[in-house]
Amino acid sequence: MNKIEIGKSGEEEAINFLKRNKYKILNRNFKTKFGEIDIIAKKNGEIVFIEVKTRNTTLFGYPEEAIDKRKINHIQKVATYYLQRNKIKIPFKFEVLSILTKNGRKEINVIPLE
């Protein structure tokens, strides 16, 4: 499986996980000139901006370690645009959904992004 296929497979796995955990999916792959957010969802009265990172190995680090300050900055700009465009005034937060395949099993973790 190549990098793009791993990413797409991870996003599908993420959507299923989020739905099982009572997230309502609002948007997928929301793109602007500032960048893209993988998933925008709603849970417990909050908008949640979710970046999905999928890896089949930890050779180059854990999935969530791929989120650097530059990526966080892009996510924040896209989120601001989304909130303003849709006139949303409810609380929001950022999360990374980390998917790591180990021994044929998937480890999924939701990590708050500060």
Side-chain angles (χ1 to χ4, degrees):
M1 208 182 285
N2 69 33
K3 193 174 178 179
I4 292 172
E5 292 170 334
I6 291 169
K8 288 194 182 299
S9 170
E11 281 191 27
E12 287 305 316
E13 186 72 36
I15 291 291
N16 293 331
F17 173 86
L18 293 167
K19 286 179 179 177
R20 284 193 310 271
N21 287 280
K22 299 182 172 44
Y23 287 74
K24 180 182 179 202
I25 307 304
L26 303 176
N27 267 296
R28 292 178 68 175
N29 304 111
F30 182 76
K31 293 180 176 115
T32 72
K33 65 181 179 179
F34 310 113
E36 176 184 351
I37 292 179
D38 293 327
I39 300 169
I40 302 172
K42 189 174 183 181
K43 184 175 182 185
N44 298 330
E46 288 184 306
I47 299 292
V48 188
F49 297 96
I50 303 163
E51 179 68 18
V52 179
K53 288 296 177 191
T54 308
R55 298 283 185 275
N56 286 333
T57 177
T58 57
L59 192 60
F60 300 105
Y62 286 87
E64 63 273 15
E65 292 172 346
I67 308 291
D68 59 14
K69 288 182 182 190
R70 187 172 150 266
K71 182 65 175 175
I72 291 169
N73 188 34
H74 285 280
I75 293 169
Q76 289 171 335
K77 284 181 180 179
V78 176
T80 299
Y81 174 81
Y82 179 86
L83 294 168
Q84 289 174 348
R85 180 178 140 196
N86 293 292
K87 297 179 175 64
I88 296 172
K89 301 211 184 293
I90 63 175
F92 63 92
K93 63 184 177 181
F94 301 95
E95 294 177 346
V96 175
L97 200 141
S98 168
I99 302 172
L100 177 62
T101 302
K102 284 170 102 176
N103 303 320
R105 298 186 65 212
K106 292 193 186 318
E107 269 183 28
I108 301 176
N109 292 298
V110 176
I111 302 154
L113 199 62
E114 301 297 325

